Amino acid sequence: MAKIPAYAAQGPLTPLAPFTIERREPGPHDVVIDIAFCGICHSDLHQVRDEWGRSIFPMVPGHEIVGTVQATGSAVQRFRVGDDVGVGCFVDSCRHCEACHAGEEQFCAEGMSLTYNGYERDGKTPTQGGYSTRIVVDENYVLRLPAGLPRERAAPLLCAGITTYSPLRRHGTGPGRRVGIMGLGGLGHMAVKLAKAMGAHVTVLSHSAGKHAGARQLGADDFVHTADADTLKKHSGRFDLILDTVSAAHDYNGALDLLRRDGTLILVGVPPPSPLAPGSLIMKRRHLTGSLIGGIRETQEMLDFCAAHDVAAEVEVIPIQKVNEAYDRMERGDVHYRFVIDLESLRRTSR
Ligand code: NAP
Ligand code: ZN
Ligand code: ZN
């Protein structure tokens, strides 16, 4: 076991603070990764504050990890020391269920091992995430970072990127399709870039009027201020697809009303429940579905797509000492569009 500096939450009401974790000695199939950058996802905040009700403390969050391979186990085939790699939302799964065989490990019948706030396959060793300087992961759950993607701008792709890429692809995003992206935060801004790169007509649906110019800069074709009921009415029945990335409770019926006949609302944001009126679906035979991150194979496909289409996150890089401030700002919606922690700041203060 190696002792590794990290930042952890000791409980839902305490700020994140310096902490030491242990990482296992690498087994034959393990890759040891020196973490360079880690994105801050709104799911980190939900889990640190125990908003989903199953948090394991102490918790070292972070599942948008990029870094460099520092060592490899004797049987590792796909990676070498010095490679740029990424780790996303899970670090293992059962490997033999139908979902794992299909490359959809996120739906593993025995439950994936989340990168943090989860357990290793032994079911009792808590996992700890990327707000730390080093992680040890089985090579089958490590992604290759394509050349040309700046590392700090690639980190958010490991969650925000795949969570939006997967449903956009699955639901046929492309030329001639009108796609609405609801909520312009970390996930939302990636969704805008990805849907544009796929060739769709993209509209940002935001409750913040001030995000209009930013949406255009990201490449959106149109902007709708969802807090304005009259404006919203004008766009009724307009979209083929809406990807809902909103992190706070909001009205799903209003979002459904914006869909055309047979249109689809995809939920990826995980706020508290809110009511659904059957008529919102029945009247135009609309579809309502959800999506959960993506499997390893599709995550690699997404990274390669981003490199080929020059897509990366817009980030504000921070030292880890500012992580609590970043959480407060994210809660207020004051982020353009993803905070990314530079782990050199932790290495420096731990020497
Ligand atoms: P984020 O950066 O904080 O963005 C969330 C956006 O939601 C905000 O930018 C804001 O957009 C909108 N919003 C916030 N408060 C609102 C309110 N009171 N009313 C209406 N809209 C509000 O968060 P994120 O990292 O993108 O994550 C978004 C959600 O996705 C979180 O719930 C997260 O847990 C979830 N998530 C799910 C998956 C999955 O696999 N399904 C994966 C990762 C994350 P506007 O100002 O533009 O309205
Ligand atoms: Zn995430
Ligand atoms: Zn499985």
Side-chain angles (χ1 to χ4, degrees):
M1 290 280 187
K3 293 209 180 303
I4 304 295
Y7 259 55
Q10 299 294 334
L13 302 175
T14 55
L16 292 159
F19 187 62
T20 301
I21 55 171
E22 293 194 326
R23 296 291 192 196
R24 65 173 181 264
E25 292 303 323
H29 298 282
D30 282 337
V31 176
V32 181
I33 301 165
D34 274 342
I35 302 175
F37 297 101
C38 184
I40 299 181
C41 179
H42 205 110
S43 302
D44 298 350
L45 195 134
H46 286 311
Q47 292 175 94
V48 161
R49 306 243 165 116
D50 200 13
E51 290 170 0
W52 294 341
R54 47 188 149 79
S55 292
I56 305 162
F57 294 103
M59 183 194 297
V60 177
H63 59 205
E64 293 185 337
I65 298 168
V66 299
T68 307
V69 175
Q70 191 264 343
T72 57
S74 56
V76 168
Q77 305 215 319
R78 296 173 46 237
F79 299 100
R80 286 192 187 168
V81 171
D83 284 353
D84 282 337
V85 293
V87 177
C89 298
F90 57 94
V91 288
D92 215 334
S93 63
C94 85
R95 308 178 190 209
H96 53 69
C97 73
E98 182 276 329
C100 284
H101 279 301
E104 307 262 32
E105 300 91 346
Q106 73 276 29
F107 301 119
C108 175
E110 295 181 16
M112 58 182 156
S113 292
L114 289 169
T115 301
Y116 70 89
N117 197 26
Y119 293 99
E120 305 278 1
R121 296 324 288 169
D122 64 8
K124 55 180 194 230
T125 309
T127 52
Q128 301 291 9
Y131 299 6
S132 58
T133 58
R134 183 171 287 184
I135 191 166
V136 181
V137 182
D138 184 290
E139 69 166 327
N140 291 300
Y141 296 82
V142 176
L143 286 307
R144 181 173 297 286
L145 276 198
L149 278 180
R151 292 197 303 175
E152 67 279 20
R153 298 186 60 204
L157 301 178
L158 276 308
C159 175
I162 183 59
T163 301
T164 52
Y165 177 91
S166 179
L168 287 170
R169 264 276 183 262
R170 174 166 295 272
H171 293 278
T173 302
R177 301 268 283 167
R178 285 184 173 276
V179 175
I181 306 298
M182 186 168 261
L184 192 60
L187 266 60
H189 98 287
M190 282 315 308
V192 170
K193 290 184 176 224
L194 289 165
K196 276 309 288 179
M198 292 174 193
H201 183 279
V202 178
T203 301
V204 167
L205 307 165
S206 170
H207 87 306
S208 313
K211 291 189 182 173
H212 193 155
R216 294 282 186 182
Q217 270 165 18
L218 290 168
D221 301 289
D222 204 353
F223 179 89
V224 175
H225 182 214
T226 53
D228 176 353
D230 289 340
T231 310
L232 213 51
K233 222 177 239 154
K234 277 191 226 141
H235 296 275
S236 172
R238 184 177 159 204
F239 297 97
D240 297 294
L241 202 65
I242 294 176
L243 185 65
D244 183 340
T245 75
V246 174
S247 57
H250 61 290
D251 177 24
Y252 292 125
N253 302 298
L256 284 163
D257 182 64
L258 299 174
L259 292 171
R260 63 188 284 274
R261 173 165 53 82
D262 291 324
T264 302
L265 173 64
I266 310 161
L267 308 183
V268 288
V270 196
S274 98
L276 178 73
S280 305
L281 295 172
I282 292 168
M283 293 315 288
K284 278 194 161 58
R285 203 169 52 201
R286 296 170 174 122
H287 303 251
L288 175 62
T289 187
S291 194
L292 177 65
I293 48 177
I296 294 292
R297 194 157 59 216
E298 196 176 32
T299 304
Q300 189 63 59
E301 177 189 306
M302 176 276 308
L303 288 170
D304 296 341
F305 177 93
C306 286
H309 291 82
D310 206 16
V311 169
E314 301 302 314
V315 301
E316 181 174 338
V317 177
I318 59 160
I320 200 157
Q321 292 78 10
K322 293 215 160 148
V323 68
N324 293 303
E325 200 180 299
Y327 274 31
D328 291 343
R329 281 181 56 195
M330 182 157 68
E331 207 157 35
R332 292 200 303 270
D334 176 21
V335 43
H336 305 282
Y337 289 90
R338 198 56 138 189
F339 288 113
V340 172
I341 299 167
D342 179 352
L343 271 311
E344 196 46 42
S345 59
L346 182 55
R347 244 174 236 114
R348 216 176 13 242
T349 50
S350 313
R351 268 179 205 131

